Amino acid sequence: MSLEWALLYPERTRSIAVIAASGRHSAWCIALGEAQRGAIYADPHWQGGNYAIDRPPARGLSAARMMAMTTYRSHASFEERFGREYGEGGEFTIARYLEYQGKKLVERFDANAYITLSRAMDRHDVTRTGKSYQSVLQSIQQPTAIVAIDSDLLYPPVEQEELAKYIPNSELFWLRSPHGHDAFLMDGDMDALNDLLVAFRLERGTRDGCGFGMAG
């Protein structure tokens, strides 16, 4: 969204921040999304998307969410928080955590919406005009803060480095965290991210009119 604002509304967007994101999904991201959609399709209640309101593909949607949650964190983050600990009933605590997250999403989200949104994310590409990815990024003239999270499995730092390479008026910042893609939502890391962005705004003199784009 942040990149799109810069491209579509250059006169209204003074500066942008791209946080743990890319300009288009990689094959890696698309594969993860397809696996999640496959879990929904495999639910017998899916019925090609024409499921009854009172019989949604809840198990499939829950499994999709559980898969997604594993990509939002990192090996170190899960080891630190869960390790091989067991909870009540003899289950691993990480298993109980994922089950809880899956159930919570089912209670507030629709399977068809999940399919549609994840497909839209996979298919979005700032180069849809027919120009090359490099030339489109080079056309972004606004001051651009690009934040890479060193432990991000979903949008690895190589993708932010690519953005910084081609966007001419950009600066690459690093958020060092063991928590993976969701680091920008963690209390301590959120403070560090805020400090990075405040420093960027003060340095570039762009106190107003910033667009902030985050993936996840």
Side-chain angles (χ1 to χ4, degrees):
M1 289 175 63
S2 190
L3 292 170
E4 286 288 1
W5 291 337
L7 291 164
L8 294 174
Y9 312 108
E11 73 287 350
R12 300 180 65 183
T13 308
R14 297 183 185 180
S15 61
I16 62 172
V18 184
I19 304 166
S22 63
R24 57 185 180 183
H25 268 186
S26 63
W28 171 248
C29 260
I30 295 169
L32 293 169
E34 188 61 29
Q36 293 165 40
R37 290 188 290 270
I40 296 174
Y41 300 151
D43 189 311
H45 290 166
W46 168 243
Q47 298 295 312
N50 297 312
Y51 45 85
I53 294 177
D54 59 344
R55 297 187 67 191
R59 294 179 64 181
L61 180 57
S62 176
R65 179 62 168 177
M66 291 168 70
M67 282 189 275
M69 291 300 300
T70 64
T71 71
Y72 300 156
R73 296 297 177 88
S74 67
H75 176 276
S77 182
F78 276 172
E79 282 298 305
E80 177 185 337
R81 181 173 178 182
F82 302 106
R84 289 182 55 83
E85 292 182 2
Y86 290 92
E88 296 179 6
E91 283 190 85
F92 285 114
T93 54
I94 179 60
R96 294 291 297 273
Y97 169 78
L98 293 176
E99 289 169 1
Y100 167 76
Q101 293 294 337
K103 180 181 178 182
K104 190 166 69 169
L105 184 77
V106 166
E107 292 172 349
R108 63 182 176 84
F109 217 79
D110 175 72
N112 268 316
Y114 195 99
I115 295 289
T116 300
L117 289 173
S118 64
R119 278 180 175 168
M121 291 176 67
D122 285 348
R123 293 174 180 177
H124 177 262
D125 189 339
V126 295
T127 66
R128 63 189 179 281
T129 57
K131 299 179 181 178
S132 70
Y133 189 55
Q134 177 179 340
S135 64
V136 169
L137 294 179
Q138 288 174 335
S139 71
I140 297 175
Q141 299 301 314
Q142 294 91 335
T144 302
I146 300 169
V147 181
I149 300 173
D150 61 346
S151 57
D152 195 337
L153 302 176
L154 187 59
Y155 297 92
V158 66
E159 297 185 351
Q160 290 83 59
E161 290 173 331
E162 184 178 37
L163 293 177
K165 177 181 178 181
Y166 293 124
I167 298 176
N169 196 12
S170 66
E171 186 173 353
L172 179 64
F173 297 91
W174 288 89
L175 184 59
R176 310 288 181 180
S177 170
H179 297 301
H181 180 68
D182 266 2
F184 62 82
L185 299 175
M186 309 292 286
D187 287 342
D189 293 328
M190 191 184 299
D191 292 338
L193 174 61
N194 183 66
D195 291 342
L196 290 176
L197 295 179
V198 168
F200 172 77
R201 293 175 68 188
L202 292 175
E203 175 189 344
R204 299 299 184 97
T206 54
R207 293 175 178 270
D208 301 306
C210 283
F212 293 91
M214 294 181 285

